[in-house]
Amino acid sequence: MFTTYQEALDWIHGRLRLGIKPGLIRMEWMMDKLGSPEKKMKAVHVGGTNGKGSTVTFLRSILQAGGYTVGTFTSPYIEQFNERISVNGKPISDEEILELTNIIKPLADELEGTELGGPTEFEVITAMAFYYFAKANNIDIVVFEVGLGGRFDSTNIIQPLASIITNIGLDHTNILGDTYEEIAFEKAGIIKNNTPIFTAVKHPGALKVIEEAAENKSAPISRLNEEFQVSGHESIAKGEVFSLKSKSLSFEELEISMIGQHQTENAALAVLAADFLNQAGYKVTEDSIRTGLKEAYWPGRFEILSEKPLVIIDGAHNEEGITALVSELTSRYKGRKNIQIVFAALSDKKLDAMIAMLDGIANQITFVSFDFHRAAKAEQLYQISHSEKKLAVDDWNSYLIEKINSLGSDEMIVVTGSLYFISEAKPFICETIGKYRHN
């Protein structure tokens, strides 16, 4: 038995040594031992390549604005580990993490002694979430984010009220496949029999795979630019405005506080899912939709940490994410003469195209290393870049202190890349900015 939160956390993180083991059999084994908690909750399942966390947040915020108590399961974390299991956007307590770990560890030890092998870190955390939400009597609904893929993801043992697939991109190709169609097949694995699916997938081949899966499961499908349309987009100082129309709803000038045109599509998916839940017995009003969208906040997604000096952090960890980041920087800050980019990434990503796009927009690009077992070395990233103004830095902490304190009025720093890096960098940057302002 663990006696402290830190002991519990160290054990959970220690399971990273087991890597990624796709499959549902270990989860099913643990759930059976726990009395099938995954069957004792109402849920919405959210998959896709990018935008999962934002979509979860939009939907949670809408339902919360309507007076519901909403659980969420997301990954990875940005500000603290506990946020992966949250209620109404508030992470569960250290004491609850400790209690849950002590419930799951004996199962993990027993499972380790079988031919199935021990559960991974993600499987352990997912089991903790299922158990917690099933036992919490006040939870009205839970929104689960898929960890990786969909078909064999640990979360895919639930029978949700509805499913959402945000988009499809070429990420985790070493596990999910090299083509949009192969990846879409894995993502489509969350589609369940007779369960509505809402999607913003645009790639024709990927969308066809989603459509075929929906047809095979007799799942009603709502597709961007088919059953629903997003139009009238306009960027405002602190967010976006857009209109949304479908067969059952029509909203003009919906406002979100998250930045980026792509966020309007994520918000639209959340509204469509909320509208379905309204028809399924949850009371979701136009006021709760408008309020929830505007109040929704998700850290590390084109987040402006400071206006003066201008510092932005964005977890653009794959090609689609970098494309969205570059588009937003180009449209919002075209008058800026000096964009300084700090980039860190995992070594198993497709880095060439990502770095090429950043090279094209950065006046200076600095590649950094960080402490994570899959992190790329700064020098490795540096060698891929073709920028004439590039640096490789191992001590990103000292570098950021120096850059933030010397930033000119026409300059900006954009810290981007792996979400694991963003989770380390954000609190440090906020502390640095605080000291800068104090001085």
Side-chain angles (χ1 to χ4, degrees):
M1 295 286 285
F2 301 112
T3 58
T4 69
Y5 169 77
Q6 192 57 52
E7 287 175 353
L9 210 56
D10 289 344
W11 177 77
I12 293 169
H13 291 328
R15 307 201 69 78
L16 281 168
R17 63 184 165 77
L18 297 175
I20 298 169
K21 301 196 294 186
L24 304 179
I25 192 166
R26 286 175 300 279
M27 284 301 302
E28 291 168 343
W29 186 95
M30 287 192 288
M31 292 302 101
D32 182 62
K33 293 284 186 178
L34 291 169
S36 302
E38 80 284 5
K39 297 177 181 177
K40 299 174 183 176
M41 67 187 80
K42 294 180 179 179
V44 174
H45 209 185
V46 182
T49 300
N50 293 78
K52 298 189 295 293
S54 298
T55 304
V56 167
T57 302
F58 283 127
L59 182 54
R60 186 266 301 165
S61 189
I62 289 169
L63 293 169
Q64 189 178 337
Y68 292 102
T69 300
V70 189
T72 53
F73 178 69
T74 57
S75 63
Y77 66 93
I78 297 296
E79 295 172 340
Q80 66 169 130
F81 173 81
N82 302 27
E83 73 192 44
R84 298 181 73 162
I85 304 172
S86 294
V87 178
N88 283 354
K90 182 181 178 182
I92 64 173
S93 68
D94 292 357
E95 291 75 20
E96 287 169 318
I97 291 288
L98 175 60
E99 180 183 350
L100 289 168
T101 308
N102 280 325
I103 290 168
I104 300 301
K105 184 182 185 298
L107 298 181
D109 291 342
E110 185 179 349
L111 190 53
E112 198 124 25
T114 73
E115 71 279 3
L116 301 177
T120 65
E121 183 204 40
F122 188 74
E123 288 171 332
V124 162
I125 300 167
T126 308
M128 289 166 60
F130 283 140
Y131 186 85
Y132 179 84
F133 290 130
K135 294 296 181 181
N137 296 324
N138 63 328
I139 305 291
D140 295 306
I141 192 167
V142 185
V143 189
F144 279 96
E145 177 187 345
V146 171
L148 174 65
R151 186 165 62 109
F152 291 130
D153 185 74
S154 304
T155 62
N156 201 30
I157 58 173
I158 60 173
Q159 293 294 325
L161 299 172
S163 303
I164 297 172
I165 299 177
T166 56
N167 65 14
I168 301 294
L170 296 177
D171 200 11
H172 298 293
T173 53
N174 58 321
I175 298 172
L176 303 179
D178 293 322
T179 68
Y180 285 93
E181 289 79 5
E182 287 174 324
I183 294 173
F185 177 75
E186 298 299 328
K187 306 287 186 186
I190 70 169
I191 299 173
K192 303 296 193 301
N193 289 327
N194 303 304
T195 301
I197 173 75
F198 304 95
T199 184
V201 171
K202 296 176 189 161
H203 185 276
L207 180 57
K208 184 178 180 182
V209 172
I210 303 292
E211 291 169 338
E212 289 174 351
E215 184 178 357
N216 290 338
K217 296 289 181 69
S218 299
I221 186 169
S222 294
R223 300 160 292 181
L224 178 66
N225 300 326
E226 292 290 338
E227 285 75 21
F228 69 98
Q229 294 82 34
V230 174
S231 62
H233 168 254
E234 178 186 352
S235 292
I236 56 177
K238 294 186 177 180
E240 315 290 335
V241 173
F242 68 101
S243 297
L244 172 62
K245 188 176 181 61
S246 74
K247 186 180 293 186
S248 62
L249 56 79
S250 179
F251 293 119
E252 300 291 328
E253 296 186 348
L254 292 171
E255 183 178 338
I256 57 174
S257 299
M258 292 193 214
I259 291 175
Q261 183 172 359
H262 59 288
Q263 294 290 10
T264 65
E265 296 175 1
N266 298 328
L269 289 169
V271 173
L272 267 288
D275 181 59
F276 166 75
L277 292 174
N278 183 57
Q279 299 170 38
Y282 289 82
K283 186 178 171 73
V284 182
T285 65
E286 179 175 344
D287 182 63
S288 62
I289 287 172
R290 290 188 179 275
T291 301
L293 288 182
K294 191 170 182 179
E295 292 182 351
Y297 162 73
W298 190 232
R301 274 65 173 184
F302 206 95
E303 185 176 1
I304 300 172
L305 299 183
S306 168
E307 294 277 5
K308 293 182 180 180
L310 182 52
V311 181
I312 294 171
I313 196 163
D314 186 57
H317 58 281
N318 54 31
E319 192 172 335
E320 287 71 26
I322 294 291
T323 298
L325 170 63
V326 169
S327 172
E328 206 55 38
L329 289 172
T330 302
S331 61
R332 279 184 177 266
Y333 299 104
K334 52 190 172 187
R336 290 273 168 175
K337 297 177 181 177
N338 200 323
I339 299 177
Q340 312 268 328
I341 288 180
V342 178
F343 179 71
L346 300 185
S347 58
D348 53 8
K349 298 286 183 176
K350 289 183 175 293
L351 298 168
D352 298 49
M354 296 166 65
I355 290 174
M357 284 189 281
L358 293 175
D359 281 346
I361 197 172
N363 296 89
Q364 179 177 302
I365 185 164
T366 303
F367 301 101
V368 299
S369 308
F370 68 106
D371 186 19
F372 189 71
H373 67 289
R374 286 161 52 209
K377 298 296 184 185
E379 185 62 30
Q380 175 191 348
L381 301 172
Y382 177 92
Q383 293 299 331
I384 296 172
S385 171
H386 295 289
S387 172
E388 294 180 0
K389 292 187 177 180
K390 59 181 178 178
L391 292 172
V393 173
D394 288 324
D395 184 2
W396 61 265
N397 307 70
S398 299
Y399 177 79
L400 282 176
I401 291 174
E402 179 186 342
K403 292 302 294 184
I404 288 171
N405 283 296
S406 63
L407 206 62
S409 59
D410 68 335
E411 296 178 317
M412 64 188 294
I413 293 178
V414 181
V415 180
T416 189
S418 167
L419 287 168
Y420 294 100
F421 173 60
I422 296 303
S423 71
E424 279 189 43
K426 182 183 174 180
F428 179 82
I429 293 170
C430 290
E431 181 183 354
T432 302
I433 290 169
K435 291 177 180 177
Y436 169 92
R437 287 174 177 161
H438 182 72
N439 294 333

